Amino acid sequence: MVTQLNFIEGGLMKRALVLVLVLVFGYLLIGCAQRKVVQPQPSATSAETRAKAPEGKPEQKVPEEKITEQQIAKIETGEGEIPKYTEEKSIFDDIHFNFDKYDIRPDAKPILQSVADWLMKNKSADLLIEGHSDERGTNEYNLALGDRRAKSARDYLVALGIPSGRINVISYGEEKPLCTEKTEECWEKNRRAHFVAMMGKIK
Amino acid sequence: MTNSKERKAKSKEPRGSNNVICIVLITLCAMLFALRSSSVEAKVYIDIASPALKKLTIAVYDFGGLSGKQISDIIKDDLEFTGLFTYIDRSAYIEGLSQPFNPKNWTPLGVEIVVKGTLKEGKDLALPVSLFDVFEAKEIFKKEYKTGKELIRPLSHSVANDIYKALTGEAGIFRSRIAFVAEDGGTKDIYIMDWDGKRASKLGLKENLILSPHWSRDGTKLIYSAERNRQWGIYLVNFLNRAVKKVFASKGTNIAGDLSPDGNEFIFSSSREGSADLYTMNLKNNAITKLTSSQGIEVSPAISPDGKYIAFVSDRGGTPQIYKMGRNGSDVRRITFEGSYNTSPNWSPKGDKIVFSGRRNANQIFIINPDGTGLIQLTTQGNNEDPSFSPDGRFITFTSDRDGAKGIYIMRANGESQKRIMPRKMKAFYPRWSPN
């Protein structure tokens, strides 16, 4: 609040009026001044509101609060459990893609054939295809690109006779690089679809 | 936005109406006395909308005590970063802190505005602050601040906000915060820090992977995407009850975009039907509406501040570019034509600009008008991504790897004063400026 104290000087009105007004005014000033001391707010619950007590008022000390893991876990129970598998990560080679592309390159075809052959022999196993991108560009777009790469590989395997129900896909975009140098060789290693054999559901 | 926040803050004040009556009566008294009572709110010292802006020269005292210098430095840093003020160093001041304000002490230094106050450090902190106009030789603002000792930084930012408001007529953003994602011992978490990079604290989510958080317009919620059990799900953090709720998950890649201005729905990208398309979901009845049906990739939807348009990324033309469409998916128009890789659109708070990341050898930050005109490049060094406007539209936060380690930066919306605001050791992504 802006309080201007200097306008009592030089009054030109009748004395009586001035006196009355000065008294009223003084009373008001004192009243207002007393109200400057404001009680602390009731404790806010969030990180954001805690940090943002209204300006000029005492900001009440509130203990550190976090969104706890327990609360998150509680919320998670409604979620349908996804079957767990033992994962065999290193059976197959990765297939690679050109920058900002998701079409299957000729050098990927023999690898996809070997994946299909293995799935034909191992009927109890499922397959997870992870799609990845290099670090260049935006994570969200790269995530969509990884999704397209994984699905290109899946569609190729389906065309080779693997039921689509045996294939799961997930994209990690640029979030899980194999190689972290800033070279084209390294980027190409990261632009990949990775195959994970899933060996029988665990209850 | 900020105005409504202030109104809310005032309405929470139980004695607010009494104070209003006080002010009204005092004003009436003043008028009866027929004296010159200056109208403080009317004078704008800096017209921040003016293209030919002259900086205001300001002096900010060390408020004394153990923390007075720290508070004063924070205020000085806040005001200086706006580019609207020239700060005169304390060593030049002629007038002692305890001496009464005298314009004759300031005119020779070229100082136009003086900030004075004496910190009282008891159990809590109390700081009366006065703002003086040198030219008119009068006090133009006065307020007493009180807080606990651990909240020195918020207190200082509040003082800076009030000074900024008194001099520009606009709300300051010095109490705003930035949400971002960072790695924390193998897991990822959302952190929230002050706009100057200080007081970062994490929410405790412990996700494997987290993508960009998006604030609700009232700043009480964040929506984000995370990968759990080989599924990308969309989660809503509510700060008011400290709960995290899963709002959507399916096979495929699901990436949250903005919440609508009314907070009733959110927009997202999902590849659940094959290729990544855009959808809206109503948070009240869980109804999902599909907005795009292209064979290409559609991601990163951003809702305009008036709620009427969606800016997004699509590769339907062969390369990722920024497009704009109506909120219901109608009238799709391409906005970017320069460069072969443009992503991460975000609206300015007024809706008159879109900021995005475009590749020109490396990724750079650009702004453009929503009709595709007026393209301006703001960054040149390193890779710069994930831009987000401050609530007043005068600043932009983004990530950059220009010094070798990816981190969060801020700059003015014209590209000036680019600076890292957090330590190099913290790997951080997706900064999003809070709306208030």
Side-chain angles (χ1 to χ4, degrees):
Chain A
M1 193 204 316
V2 182
T3 17
Q4 297 251 334
L5 293 165
N6 61 347
F7 46 75
I8 299 171
E9 64 185 59
L12 298 168
M13 295 278 183
K14 286 176 183 171
R15 270 177 183 252
L17 179 60
V18 169
L19 184 66
V20 168
L21 285 173
V22 164
L23 284 173
V24 169
F25 178 61
Y27 168 77
L28 286 169
L29 271 187
I30 290 160
C32 290
Q34 280 172 343
R35 290 191 184 99
K36 259 189 189 169
V37 183
V38 183
Q39 289 302 307
Q41 275 215 307
S43 63
T45 46
S46 77
E48 189 60 16
T49 51
R50 183 177 73 241
K52 287 196 157 212
E55 274 98 288
K57 291 204 281 177
E59 299 185 61
Q60 200 190 14
K61 194 172 174 178
V62 179
E64 187 65 25
E65 287 164 345
K66 276 183 193 174
I67 297 167
T68 65
E69 262 185 293
Q70 287 77 9
Q71 280 172 304
I72 294 164
K74 215 182 286 170
I75 291 152
E76 275 311 280
T77 50
E79 195 173 332
E81 276 295 303
I82 288 174
K84 290 193 166 63
Y85 300 81
T86 42
E87 297 184 9
E88 285 292 338
K89 294 229 179 211
S90 53
I91 296 180
F92 312 110
D93 289 339
D94 291 345
I95 62 170
H96 296 99
F97 297 84
N98 291 339
F99 175 70
D100 195 24
K101 294 283 184 282
Y102 41 82
D103 50 308
I104 299 295
R105 297 194 325 206
D107 62 346
K109 290 178 181 174
I111 297 169
L112 286 162
Q113 186 63 55
S114 71
V115 174
D117 292 346
W118 187 89
L119 284 168
M120 293 289 192
K121 279 185 212 141
N122 297 273
K123 301 273 188 210
S124 66
D126 285 352
L127 183 74
L128 174 69
I129 308 176
E130 299 175 1
H132 298 267
S133 73
D134 68 32
E135 62 169 8
R136 292 173 297 166
T138 303
N139 296 35
E140 290 187 1
Y141 182 78
N142 280 337
L143 207 66
L145 197 58
D147 186 277
R148 290 302 291 256
R149 286 172 179 162
K151 282 173 179 164
S152 292
R154 180 195 63 190
D155 293 348
Y156 195 91
L157 293 173
V158 170
L160 291 176
I162 307 299
S164 62
R166 289 178 67 193
I167 306 172
N168 296 304
V169 300
I170 176 89
S171 176
Y172 291 114
E174 63 183 84
E175 302 278 353
K176 295 189 170 182
L178 281 179
C179 182
T180 54
E181 288 158 45
K182 293 181 186 301
T183 61
E184 175 48 40
E185 194 188 357
C186 188
W187 288 327
E188 176 161 29
K189 274 187 195 161
N190 290 335
R191 293 193 302 264
R192 68 200 190 275
H194 178 70
F195 303 98
V196 182
M198 303 170 84
M199 310 291 284
K201 289 166 193 169
I202 298 168
K203 294 241 166 163
Chain B
M1 193 64 56
T2 326
N3 282 341
S4 71
K5 186 206 85 186
E6 284 190 354
R7 276 200 297 277
K8 247 185 281 167
K10 275 179 188 162
S11 65
K12 276 184 206 158
E13 159 62 78
R15 294 182 184 85
S17 56
N18 287 345
N19 282 343
V20 169
I21 294 165
C22 272
I23 292 164
V24 168
L25 288 173
I26 288 171
T27 312
L28 282 173
C29 283
M31 285 162 71
L32 279 171
F33 276 113
L35 294 169
R36 54 196 163 87
S37 168
S38 64
S39 158
V40 173
E41 318 297 339
K43 180 163 177 184
V44 169
Y45 289 82
I46 304 183
D47 180 7
I48 55 178
S50 162
L53 183 143
K54 187 191 158 291
K55 289 189 182 188
L56 199 63
T57 305
I58 190 163
V60 184
Y61 272 90
D62 175 340
F63 300 121
L66 294 171
S67 319
K69 184 175 179 300
Q70 188 195 353
I71 294 169
S72 175
D73 285 345
I74 294 166
I75 295 168
K76 167 192 164 259
D77 290 346
D78 282 356
L79 295 176
E80 274 196 324
F81 192 76
T82 65
L84 303 174
F85 301 92
T86 304
Y87 169 76
I88 299 295
D89 192 76
R90 285 168 209 132
S91 60
Y93 303 171
I94 300 158
E95 191 171 286
L97 178 58
S98 54
Q99 289 177 276
F101 167 74
N102 183 343
K104 290 191 179 116
N105 292 329
W106 299 102
T107 317
L109 303 175
V111 170
E112 294 162 282
I113 298 293
V114 178
V115 183
K116 281 186 132 174
T118 308
L119 182 66
K120 291 170 241 168
E121 292 169 306
K123 188 171 150 283
D124 288 334
L125 299 175
L127 178 65
V129 172
S130 292
L131 197 59
F132 297 96
D133 175 338
V134 174
F135 182 71
E136 297 201 7
K138 66 173 188 188
E139 185 178 67
I140 53 172
F141 172 84
K142 182 178 185 165
K143 184 159 157 182
E144 178 155 341
Y145 300 81
K146 287 187 177 183
T147 190
K149 283 182 175 167
E150 77 286 0
L151 293 173
I152 278 185
R153 300 199 69 89
L155 169 108
S156 311
H157 292 310
S158 288
V159 179
N161 268 349
D162 288 339
I163 294 171
Y164 188 85
K165 180 82 197 272
L167 299 176
T168 67
E170 303 278 325
I173 52 87
F174 309 122
R175 287 292 296 272
S176 63
R177 312 200 77 197
I178 294 171
F180 62 99
V181 176
E183 282 178 9
D184 174 39
T187 60
K188 287 194 172 171
D189 213 326
I190 294 177
Y191 288 68
I192 299 178
M193 65 183 173
D194 289 353
W195 81 287
D196 56 5
K198 301 295 193 300
R199 296 197 314 135
S201 62
K202 60 184 173 187
L203 299 186
L205 302 172
K206 293 194 178 172
E207 303 278 15
N208 295 322
L209 294 170
I210 302 185
L211 299 174
S212 175
H214 300 260
W215 293 93
S216 63
R217 295 290 159 98
D218 63 0
T220 65
K221 296 185 187 79
L222 275 178
I223 195 163
Y224 70 95
S225 330
E227 186 259 343
R228 296 182 192 172
N229 299 325
R230 297 188 208 100
Q231 276 203 346
W232 283 98
I234 296 173
Y235 300 86
L236 189 67
V237 179
N238 185 339
F239 292 110
L240 298 180
N241 61 8
R242 290 182 299 150
V244 180
K245 192 170 100 179
K246 182 163 86 177
V247 290
F248 183 78
S250 73
K251 283 196 173 180
T253 304
N254 303 301
I255 312 171
D258 283 338
L259 285 150
S260 59
D262 62 11
N264 290 336
E265 55 183 47
F266 70 97
I267 185 162
F268 64 106
S269 168
S270 174
S271 67
R272 63 181 190 157
E273 292 177 14
S275 74
D277 279 306
L278 301 180
Y279 300 80
T280 51
M281 180 169 173
N282 186 309
L283 284 164
K284 295 202 162 146
N285 61 16
N286 294 341
I288 292 173
T289 311
K290 192 173 180 184
L291 300 178
T292 64
S293 300
S294 87
Q295 287 305 302
I297 289 169
E298 257 109 43
V299 288
S300 302
I303 302 178
S304 64
D306 62 8
K308 289 181 181 166
Y309 301 100
I310 296 165
F312 62 101
V313 174
S314 174
D315 75 343
R316 60 180 72 187
T319 57
Q321 298 292 344
I322 313 292
Y323 290 76
K324 186 181 95 166
M325 64 183 178
R327 182 73 177 280
N328 60 1
S330 63
D331 196 20
V332 179
R333 283 162 197 240
R334 182 167 162 180
I335 294 174
T336 54
F337 291 90
E338 281 183 46
S340 60
Y341 197 108
N342 296 306
T343 55
S344 300
N346 262 307
W347 296 83
S348 67
K350 283 185 194 150
D352 57 343
K353 298 281 175 192
I354 291 171
V355 65
F356 66 95
S357 176
R359 185 194 302 269
R360 307 289 190 271
N361 295 317
N363 286 303
Q364 303 300 344
I365 309 293
F366 294 83
I367 53 170
I368 196 166
N369 299 326
D371 64 1
T373 62
L375 181 71
I376 299 169
Q377 181 171 344
L378 299 179
T379 59
T380 52
Q381 300 168 31
N383 282 289
N384 304 281
E385 295 176 23
D386 296 316
S388 162
F389 270 103
S390 64
D392 63 354
R394 298 186 61 82
F395 310 102
I396 293 166
T397 181
F398 59 102
T399 61
S400 181
D401 65 358
R402 63 185 65 182
D403 68 0
K406 199 168 191 173
I408 293 171
Y409 284 65
I410 52 174
M411 64 179 167
R412 294 181 200 141
N414 62 3
E416 288 175 353
S417 288
Q418 302 184 14
K419 72 168 181 182
R420 176 185 272 273
I421 54 166
M422 52 190 308
R424 271 179 59 98
K425 61 180 190 324
M426 195 174 204
K427 241 184 135 183
F429 324 86
Y430 314 120
R432 290 285 177 150
W433 216 306
S434 71
N436 50 25

